[in-house]
Amino acid sequence: MTDAPAALFLGQSFEGAAENLLFKRANRHGVVAGATGTGKTVTLQIMAQGFSDAGVPVFCADVKGDLSGISQAGNVEKFAERAGKMGLSLTGKAAPVVFWDLYGVKGHPIRATVSDVGPTLLARMLELNDVQEGVLTVAFHVADKEGLLLLDLEDLRALLAYVGENAQAIGREVGNVSPTSIAAIQRALLQLEQQGGTAFFGEPALRLEDMMRTSLDGRGQVNVLDSTRLMNSPRLYAAFLLWLLSELFEQLPEIGDPEKPRLVFFFDEAHLLFNDAPKGLLEKVEQVVRLIRSKGVGVYFVTQNPADIPDTVLAQLGNRVQHALRAYTPAEQKGLRAAAQSFRTNPAFDTAEAIQALGVGEALVSTLDDKGAPTVVAQTRIRPPDSRLGPATDAERAAVMAASPVRGTYDTAVNRESAEEVLKARRAQAERIEAETASAAPRARASSRQTPMEALTKSVLRTAGSTITRELLRGVLGSLKRR
């Protein structure tokens, strides 16, 4: 069996039928769920490579480091027996991969400007409360009003200091700006810097078209974000991926339902996006997921349990792959029932019991059919990948990066004039004017002071002037009388 031209072959059902994901329904989003060690990463890998083979660019996060193996050809002999039972012929090939890394260590750096991220997502990264987020929004308003470019965290620090120094005047226009809140934001920025967040903010900023390339042979580029270090900063990870989704939503034009997606986006460890997220942020996620499909983008959440995803978002996910779940606690049993109830029932087995009985590399699969309706859930053996299972070596990663189509584009940071430099110049000018004014004041006072001799001379001249004036007046009056 080979991949159908209009579908991605996921695996074979226990009854022997092919389980496919239709490309023209792939922009209706999906979820890949299951407990640790049940095969989620392998499913993500075969889906990413399947989309790539169809000419669809892919973005996915590599949380554990083993997804990097998609850049290397797989061991065909190792999975020959499993593939043979499915009628599948493995070719042992690598996907066209570009490695990315927010820190620029294991891939090309990804940067965005502070202005691009905006106050809402930045507040999420900094874990600010509502009052502090309001102050941050005021700071962005001041930057817009005064034409200050916010490119990196140093720009934001300088802006916050400026807002604090002018809090009274700014407060009269847009509301109270508390020095306490500004200090709290500055401390949060320091924590973000210590977590390595500084590397993400700046220029050159990422251009989306560099993630949406196809190779010369027509395959879609697979963008692998190394997240092994990024996972130590879960808020930064979640906010970054939401920013990327938001940028796609804002920049891509409407195309409706294409024959295949323009881009497929895998959001691994998806629960990090929703944990403790404020209502406004959840509404933003729901809006993006609901509307971005018409931009030709498919979003696939990868998580341990579908219950990690809010119902409003889960309702938008039409294609589902559920690996095994374990239910030992009441909370886990509740999540298991919710996962089972999200599928279209198959009369041949009990869905809840089947989820618990699945082995490694097996899953319950339900995708959207030609009419957009979910198919009956099927117990499925997931196909083996053509690329390597397991991580790429450092040498192999370096070779992939050396051949990267974006090599040299983002590797060197650029620091052009922005808010920090402008505000520093303003402060220097103000200090210079103040110094000149201060030095001119003593001279003015000195020039106004008189010595005793100068005062006596002026007094004599005034007296003499008055005497002469009186004598002249008497002379004039006397002359008039004689006439």
Side-chain angles (χ1 to χ4, degrees), residues 40 230 426:
K40 294 192 304 296
L230 185 59
R426 284 186 191 177

Side-chain angles (χ1 to χ4, degrees), residues 245-451:
L245 268 181
S246 300
E247 288 294 295
L248 290 166
F249 174 68
E250 292 172 6
Q251 294 188 30
L252 295 179
E254 296 274 347
I255 61 172
D257 288 325
E259 285 301 308
K260 61 183 179 181
R262 177 181 286 167
L263 174 74
V264 171
F265 188 102
F266 288 94
F267 201 134
D268 202 358
E269 299 293 341
H271 64 281
L272 296 176
L273 177 62
F274 305 107
N275 283 355
D276 303 320
K279 182 180 179 181
L281 186 63
L282 290 177
E283 291 174 349
K284 174 70 172 178
V285 175
E286 181 186 354
Q287 179 197 40
V288 170
V289 172
R290 186 176 66 251
L291 300 178
I292 202 172
R293 72 169 185 82
S294 62
K295 307 293 184 87
V297 177
V299 181
Y300 289 75
F301 293 95
V302 184
T303 190
Q304 292 196 13
N305 195 314
D308 297 332
I309 304 172
D311 290 341
T312 53
V313 177
L314 195 60
Q316 309 294 324
L317 312 181
N319 300 294
R320 304 191 176 201
V321 180
Q322 176 67 63
H323 288 273
L325 283 177
R326 310 296 178 231
Y328 302 114
T329 67
E332 290 173 339
Q333 291 169 3
K334 181 179 178 180
L336 174 65
R337 289 194 298 270
Q341 291 168 1
S342 67
F343 286 103
R344 183 177 170 187
T345 304
N346 188 328
F349 57 87
D350 181 275
T351 307
E353 290 182 2
I355 292 176
Q356 298 180 79
L358 291 169
V360 176
E362 298 175 348
L364 297 187
V365 173
S366 175
T367 58
L368 298 179
D369 63 19
D370 195 59
K371 296 181 179 179
T375 59
V376 172
V377 63
Q379 294 170 295
T380 304
R381 295 180 181 87
I382 300 299
R383 60 154 290 177
D386 286 308
S387 51
R388 179 193 296 172
L389 275 184
T393 65
D394 290 342
E396 290 168 341
R397 185 187 292 267
V400 171
M401 291 185 63
S404 169
V406 296
R407 180 186 178 189
T409 304
Y410 300 101
D411 298 332
T412 303
V414 176
N415 187 18
R416 61 188 173 114
E417 185 179 77
S418 49
E420 181 193 16
E421 290 79 14
V422 171
L423 292 174
K424 187 180 292 184
R426 284 186 191 177
R427 185 174 289 106
Q429 183 178 10
E431 290 174 352
R432 185 168 57 252
I433 293 172
E434 184 179 352
E436 291 173 353
T437 303
S439 63
R443 291 197 299 270
R445 288 195 298 271
S447 64
S448 65
R449 288 197 295 269
Q450 302 173 1
T451 65

Side-chain angles (χ1 to χ4, degrees), residues 26 242 378 401 477:
L242 182 55
M401 291 185 63
L477 291 173

Side-chain angles (χ1 to χ4, degrees), residues 203-223:
E203 291 185 317
L206 175 70
R207 297 193 302 264
L208 292 182
E209 55 266 31
D210 284 334
M211 281 194 170
M212 302 178 67
R213 297 170 177 264
T214 54
S215 60
L216 294 176
D217 59 6
R219 291 183 296 164
Q221 175 175 296
V222 178
N223 302 279

Side-chain angles (χ1 to χ4, degrees), residues 14-276:
F14 286 10
E15 290 76 28
E19 294 298 323
N20 295 317
L21 192 162
L22 296 178
F23 289 126
K24 66 179 181 180
R25 295 287 176 251
N27 67 323
R28 301 296 180 92
H29 313 318
V31 59
V32 179
T36 301
T38 57
K40 294 192 304 296
T41 301
V42 177
T43 298
L44 191 162
Q45 184 170 333
I46 66 107
M47 291 177 70
Q49 191 159 10
F51 281 118
S52 172
D53 289 344
V56 178
V58 174
F59 177 90
C60 49
D62 187 9
V63 172
K64 294 177 289 186
D66 48 3
L67 188 58
S68 61
I70 196 173
S71 66
Q72 306 299 316
N75 185 342
V76 176
E77 295 180 0
K78 183 177 180 180
F79 298 105
E81 182 180 354
R82 184 180 180 91
K85 291 179 179 179
M86 299 181 182
L88 178 66
S89 176
L90 293 180
T91 56
K93 62 182 180 181
V97 171
V98 172
F99 288 115
W100 302 91
D101 181 0
L102 257 63
Y103 305 106
V105 177
K106 293 187 175 182
H108 303 291
I110 295 180
R111 299 184 187 89
T113 66
V114 171
S115 294
D116 286 340
V117 174
T120 300
L121 281 181
L122 192 56
R124 168 76 166 163
M125 290 182 187
L126 300 175
E127 302 184 45
L128 304 182
N129 61 32
D130 292 343
V131 174
Q132 294 160 358
E133 182 179 347
V135 171
L136 187 63
T137 302
V138 168
F140 273 74
H141 168 77
V142 171
D144 288 340
K145 184 178 179 182
E146 302 196 16
L148 299 171
L149 289 177
L150 297 178
L151 303 181
D152 54 29
L153 291 186
E154 291 304 317
D155 290 329
L156 184 57
R157 282 193 174 282
L159 175 65
L160 289 169
Y162 173 75
V163 170
E165 292 166 359
N166 299 273
Q168 189 172 1
I170 292 171
R172 286 195 295 269
E173 179 186 350
V174 295
N176 183 47
V177 178
S178 167
T180 305
S181 294
I182 290 180
I185 297 172
Q186 294 280 31
R187 288 193 298 271
L189 284 174
L190 178 60
Q191 292 177 343
L192 183 63
E193 290 174 352
Q194 291 173 341
Q195 294 173 3
T198 305
F200 172 55
F201 295 97
E203 291 185 317
L206 175 70
R207 297 193 302 264
L208 292 182
E209 55 266 31
D210 284 334
M211 281 194 170
M212 302 178 67
R213 297 170 177 264
T214 54
S215 60
L216 294 176
D217 59 6
R219 291 183 296 164
Q221 175 175 296
V222 178
N223 302 279
V224 178
L225 174 70
D226 184 89
S227 305
T228 51
R229 180 182 172 191
L230 185 59
M231 289 307 296
N232 295 325
S233 307
R235 288 292 181 95
L236 176 60
Y237 170 79
F240 160 70
L241 292 184
L242 182 55
W243 164 79
L244 188 55
L245 268 181
S246 300
E247 288 294 295
L248 290 166
F249 174 68
E250 292 172 6
Q251 294 188 30
L252 295 179
E254 296 274 347
I255 61 172
D257 288 325
E259 285 301 308
K260 61 183 179 181
R262 177 181 286 167
L263 174 74
V264 171
F265 188 102
F266 288 94
F267 201 134
D268 202 358
E269 299 293 341
H271 64 281
L272 296 176
L273 177 62
F274 305 107
N275 283 355
D276 303 320

